[in-house]
Amino acid sequence: MTEDLDHRFSSLTWEQITILDQVLSEVIPIHGRGNFPTLDVKLKDVVHVVKEQLTEKQISVRDIRLNGSTASHILVEQNGTSYKDLDIIFGVELPSELEFQVVKEAVLNCLLDFLPKCVNKEKITAQTMKDAYVQKMVKVSTDYDRWSLISLSNNSGKNVELKFVNSLRRQFEFSVDSFQIILDSILNVYKATDCKLTEDSHPTVIAESMYGDFSEAMYHLRCKLISTRNPEEIRGGGLLKYSNLLVRDFKPADKDEIKSLERYMCSRFFIDFPDVAEQQRKIESYLRNHFIGEEKSKYDYLMTLRRVVNKSTVCLMGYERRQTLNMITILALKVLGEQNIIPNAANVTCYYQPAPYISDRNFSNYYIAHGQPPVFYQPYPFHIQIQSGMV
């Protein structure tokens, strides 16, 4: 292993291996739609069965890795990092469309093994299992990226996400989510019935930082610092994740560099999502997937996102920029409405709709302001004209 490669890797401590074992052994419910029962599974069992199915289908597996926020949580539990999705990466060869189809069928057939014994499985097809238990499926097949994703449903947001990667140019957004823990050694222990994990007898488990410098990435994670490279390479620019980190009290590692990086993040986001309706769908989807059980943080997140877009967007015409800012503001007000909260009354303009029996056309609205830009609040549906400099 060269010195450069050495910088990318580190061995887990016994304490970290213990946390990894807890994550892999935790019972996770996969919720079924309609009358389909909930599947209570352990991540280590899902990984084992999927690998066996792939091997039977002559799909060779290079390695299996735990990725993203879950890996970060295992490496630095004490700084309050949380995780939602359980991301597993299978390194596989996907030379043609046939292999993509084989992988999909293998995963769906595996789910049959976790159905209760009383269920008659003979008439249940792969398509039925997909409709019942799969939240989303993604396939990417380009000259540079070849991978697929199957996400299994969990109502609390802790989805089991199985990614099958032949090649992927960009495998991280920020240094703090760049970690991948290679699971093969610990999976072999689970498979051997006479082996147990103990402090005196446990496998060497290796973690890799896709950011490139493991020590630097760990320092960022421990100190809650934000750093990335070439955000223009990330789909969406990493803008939504960046705003999420800011809300969770992460700070830029380099305050001067982040100004330039923010502009690249915004530019790439608007290249990938040029229409305001697409932008809204993407933001709403991010809120659904990353703020389950954290409803009160949604408003702060949207206002943080709005501030970054307002400050760092240089690629949009004035009208397009105002459209996006207005859309984010309305989403934020909608969040407040759902929580039955309104902003500081000193900065609110309230429009009261007259009752149907009031025919006086001179009905007066009420305006309250004290020297600061007003926030407009109305009951749904929203018909809001946002003034510049609002919020």
Side-chain angles (χ1 to χ4, degrees), residues 196-264:
K196 291 184 179 181
L197 290 173
T198 65
E199 187 170 1
D200 297 326
S201 175
H202 62 79
T204 300
V205 181
I206 302 296
E208 180 180 4
S209 170
M210 310 312 290
Y211 178 73
D213 188 321
F214 192 95
S215 297
E216 184 181 352
M218 280 293 287
Y219 174 75
H220 293 162
L221 183 59
R222 289 193 183 100
C223 299
K224 303 184 76 169
L225 298 176
I226 302 172
S227 181
T228 189
R229 298 192 180 104
N230 306 319
E232 67 276 10
E233 296 176 354
I234 308 169
R235 177 164 172 78
L239 176 63
L240 302 185
K241 172 76 173 183
Y242 172 65
S243 301
N244 195 354
L245 290 173
L246 290 175
V247 166
R248 298 180 191 283
D249 296 324
F250 282 72
K251 307 295 181 185
D254 187 325
K255 293 182 180 180
D256 293 325
E257 182 188 33
I258 203 67
K259 296 174 183 177
S260 171
L261 295 178
E262 282 183 358
R263 289 194 287 271
Y264 282 115

Side-chain angles (χ1 to χ4, degrees), residues 31-285:
H31 295 107
R33 297 184 182 90
N35 294 324
F36 279 83
T38 296
L39 309 180
D40 291 322
V41 303
K42 295 178 181 179
L43 194 57
K44 63 181 182 181
D45 295 337
V46 173
V47 170
H48 172 72
V49 175
V50 170
K51 183 180 180 181
E52 281 197 337
Q53 280 277 332
L54 293 176
T55 302
E56 286 180 15
K57 302 291 184 181
Q58 277 70 56
I59 301 288
S60 61
V61 180
R62 296 189 301 271
D63 57 22
I64 302 172
R65 299 179 176 223
L66 183 65
N67 181 55
S69 61
T70 311
S72 300
H73 168 78
I74 289 166
L75 293 173
V76 183
E77 185 187 34
Q78 67 270 22
N79 79 338
T81 56
S82 61
Y83 65 95
K84 296 289 185 184
D85 295 336
L86 295 159
D87 301 332
I88 298 292
I89 296 177
F90 293 81
V92 294
E93 298 297 323
L94 301 171
S96 70
E97 178 63 30
L98 176 62
E99 283 74 22
F100 278 101
Q101 187 63 29
V102 169
V103 165
K104 183 179 80 169
E105 291 178 356
V107 173
L108 295 176
N109 288 334
C110 286
L111 294 179
L112 287 170
D113 294 341
F114 295 102
L115 284 170
K117 293 181 180 180
C118 59
V119 175
N120 184 357
K121 305 174 185 178
E122 294 181 3
K123 296 183 179 179
I124 300 178
T125 64
Q127 181 61 41
T128 302
M129 295 301 288
K130 173 181 176 293
D131 294 340
Y133 293 106
V134 174
Q135 184 187 53
K136 66 178 176 181
M137 299 182 74
V138 178
K139 183 181 81 170
V140 175
S141 179
T142 68
D143 292 338
Y144 302 102
D145 296 326
R146 293 183 65 80
W147 57 272
S148 66
L149 169 72
I150 300 176
S151 178
L152 306 179
S153 300
N154 177 278
N155 294 344
S156 64
K158 193 176 282 189
N159 298 327
V160 174
E161 300 212 330
L162 307 175
K163 184 179 281 188
F164 302 87
V165 176
N166 181 98
S167 57
L168 183 59
R169 284 177 298 176
R170 179 78 181 215
Q171 298 195 42
F172 73 98
E173 289 185 273
F174 296 88
S175 60
V176 294
D177 64 7
S178 69
F179 299 102
Q180 295 182 357
I181 298 174
I182 303 170
L183 299 177
D184 298 79
S185 61
I186 196 169
L187 292 174
N188 289 335
V189 171
Y190 292 143
K191 197 161 64 171
T193 55
D194 58 338
C195 291
K196 291 184 179 181
L197 290 173
T198 65
E199 187 170 1
D200 297 326
S201 175
H202 62 79
T204 300
V205 181
I206 302 296
E208 180 180 4
S209 170
M210 310 312 290
Y211 178 73
D213 188 321
F214 192 95
S215 297
E216 184 181 352
M218 280 293 287
Y219 174 75
H220 293 162
L221 183 59
R222 289 193 183 100
C223 299
K224 303 184 76 169
L225 298 176
I226 302 172
S227 181
T228 189
R229 298 192 180 104
N230 306 319
E232 67 276 10
E233 296 176 354
I234 308 169
R235 177 164 172 78
L239 176 63
L240 302 185
K241 172 76 173 183
Y242 172 65
S243 301
N244 195 354
L245 290 173
L246 290 175
V247 166
R248 298 180 191 283
D249 296 324
F250 282 72
K251 307 295 181 185
D254 187 325
K255 293 182 180 180
D256 293 325
E257 182 188 33
I258 203 67
K259 296 174 183 177
S260 171
L261 295 178
E262 282 183 358
R263 289 194 287 271
Y264 282 115
M265 291 179 207
C266 291
S267 295
R268 178 61 196 262
F269 181 81
F270 292 117
I271 288 170
D272 291 333
F273 308 103
D275 180 75
V276 71
E278 288 181 88
Q279 297 162 18
Q280 180 170 339
R281 283 194 294 272
K282 183 64 178 177
I283 294 169
E284 288 177 333
S285 173

